[in-house]
Amino acid sequence: MFSFQGENILSVNQLDRDSIEHIFSIAKKMEPYAKKQKRTQVLNGAILANLFFEPSTRTRVSFGTAFNLLGDLVRETTGLQSSALAKGESLYDTARVISAYADAVAMRHPDAGSVAEFATGSDVPVINGGDGPNEHPTQALLDLLTIDRELSRFGTGIDGMHIALVGDLKYGRTVHSLSKLLSHYKDIRFTMVAPDGLQMPQSILDVVDNAGHRIEVVSKMEGNLAADIVYQTRIQEERFPSQEEANKYRGGFRISQAIYDAHCKPSSVLMHPLPRDSRSDANELDNDLNNNDNLAIFRQVQNGVLIRMALFALTLGVENQVEKHEVEVPWFSRKRES
């Protein structure tokens, strides 16, 4: 099993099934703190450098929230133009400087391999919050935890499930990382639903195929959504060579309640890495799905905080000390009612 303390989390390739399940076990221990039933100050005085050089709301705030819930402080930098990188500083030099200030780093950058390059200069653990079209390991872990929890509602599990990955599978880093994690499980049926120009890269298909799973590559949603998990993705406009090219695919793989009723199973769980594009000409997951009990997108968000709390605790070596540093929660919170 992967040794977490002091290590960087850069790629799902670092993890095997035992490591994944260990992360999940620690994430479960974090639920009382995320629900404000308890507080912990296990990392009191520690500092997270939250470096997001690419637009993000949900992931950036999730990392910061996870660190705060463990009792510590967050310092943020957002946007390349607001950093010394805009002045020509190398990622290595930036890492040497930032790691002198912080105890951990969460980082997002638009270029593939950039977070790993940054990590070569860091003296503290670095967690990859997304590096261009390459990987998004914490999103893949929270997606996998969500899948596990959602399927348990129906008395099934990840082994032997059927998942339909839908939309932009070429540029969607979340489905790349998730597919790699799923390769550690058994007898999964993958249906890759995407237009011909946005299909899953062959390198990812090879990983899934070499692990012994079944793969169907299709170019239409009709007849291909009756899966246990339907994972919809946003068209990654920012990664296309032009806006005109991206617009060709806008709204072509939209799931509404009517499409769900016609093509999904009554138990099909709907997931999306967020943000979902709710503009009328896109709307990957229509707003009329908001009252569908199997829409899991906001439960994914909650699971993301748990996963990131677990990774901070593991990489900073405090996973077995969290309860020893508990204090009371004095304020009112509806989270405790959920």
Side-chain angles (χ1 to χ4, degrees):
M1 185 172 68
F2 180 70
S3 176
F4 290 91
Q5 184 171 316
E7 297 295 331
N8 304 311
I9 307 296
L10 303 175
S11 168
V12 295
N13 295 333
Q14 297 169 263
L15 306 174
D16 57 17
R17 184 161 176 170
D18 287 341
S19 301
I20 295 166
E21 292 178 355
H22 184 50
I23 294 169
F24 287 0
S25 71
I26 302 301
K28 184 177 181 180
K29 293 181 180 180
M30 300 300 170
E31 284 196 274
Y33 311 106
K35 291 181 176 180
K36 304 299 171 63
Q37 295 167 349
K38 302 177 181 179
R39 282 195 299 153
T40 180
Q41 295 184 337
V42 68
L43 290 183
N44 185 30
I47 296 174
L48 169 69
N50 217 19
L51 309 181
F52 274 69
F53 300 120
E54 187 178 50
S56 171
T57 300
R58 184 194 65 264
T59 303
R60 176 176 57 82
V61 174
S62 178
F63 270 112
T65 298
F67 214 67
N68 286 149
L69 286 169
L70 291 169
D72 40 28
L73 304 172
V74 178
R75 297 289 181 264
E76 292 196 334
T77 295
T78 59
L80 281 169
Q81 294 308 311
S82 63
S83 75
L85 294 172
K87 302 176 182 178
E89 184 174 60
S90 69
L91 286 167
Y92 175 86
D93 284 3
T94 301
R96 290 294 299 269
V97 172
I98 296 299
S99 62
Y101 302 149
D103 300 284
V105 175
M107 181 176 174
R108 172 173 287 188
H109 194 282
D111 297 336
S114 54
V115 181
E117 181 182 348
F118 175 93
T120 63
S122 177
D123 294 325
V124 301
V126 177
I127 300 179
N128 186 357
D131 59 329
N134 186 34
E135 281 213 52
H136 198 342
T138 63
Q139 180 71 47
L141 285 165
L142 75 87
D143 287 340
L144 193 62
L145 179 61
T146 302
I147 290 170
D148 185 51
R149 292 184 166 195
E150 294 296 318
L151 293 181
S152 70
R153 295 167 48 216
F154 301 102
T156 60
I158 298 173
D159 290 326
M161 75 164 181
H162 177 197
I163 184 169
L165 301 174
V166 183
D168 185 352
L169 308 187
K170 178 179 180 180
Y171 295 111
R173 59 192 172 198
T174 64
V175 290
H176 301 168
S177 294
L178 178 58
S179 296
K180 289 180 180 181
L181 284 187
L182 287 171
S183 70
H184 295 299
Y185 290 77
K186 298 177 182 178
D187 192 30
I188 296 175
R189 177 184 170 191
F190 289 79
T191 301
M192 309 291 189
V193 186
D196 292 337
L198 296 182
Q199 267 295 351
M200 186 71 81
Q202 187 61 47
S203 60
I204 306 298
L205 293 176
D206 289 343
V207 169
V208 173
D209 183 56
N210 291 338
H213 300 298
R214 291 169 288 166
I215 305 172
E216 300 167 276
V217 176
V218 298
S219 58
K220 63 179 183 178
M221 293 194 303
E222 292 76 15
N224 294 306
L225 297 182
D228 301 306
I229 301 291
V230 177
Y231 189 105
Q232 173 68 285
T233 64
R234 177 179 65 87
I235 300 300
Q236 303 284 306
E237 295 181 359
E238 65 275 19
R239 310 204 192 284
F240 280 75
S242 69
Q243 185 64 49
E244 182 181 15
E245 181 69 17
N247 288 343
K248 294 178 183 178
Y249 302 101
R250 181 184 291 277
F253 282 71
R254 176 177 180 175
I255 300 177
S256 63
Q257 186 61 50
I259 290 173
Y260 182 93
D261 292 338
H263 298 288
C264 296
K265 301 191 300 183
S267 60
S268 293
V269 174
L270 293 172
M271 296 176 59
H272 191 293
L274 300 181
R276 58 174 167 168
D277 190 339
S278 295
R279 289 172 288 188
S280 59
D281 58 345
N283 233 0
E284 304 105 2
L285 289 180
D286 201 297
N287 290 330
D288 69 3
L289 291 162
N290 286 351
N291 293 322
N292 187 322
D293 288 340
N294 291 330
L295 182 71
I297 58 177
F298 300 116
R299 295 190 286 276
Q300 282 175 263
V301 171
Q302 295 167 348
N303 291 332
V305 172
L306 301 180
I307 286 293
R308 290 167 180 132
M309 289 179 73
L311 291 176
F312 285 134
L314 285 162
T315 55
L316 294 175
V318 298
E319 70 274 16
N320 296 320
Q321 303 176 44
V322 177
E323 293 180 355
K324 298 176 184 178
H325 297 268
E326 286 180 358
V327 294
E328 293 297 318
V329 180
W331 62 85
F332 169 79
S333 175
R334 294 192 188 280
K335 290 184 173 68
R336 290 197 284 273
E337 301 172 3
S338 62

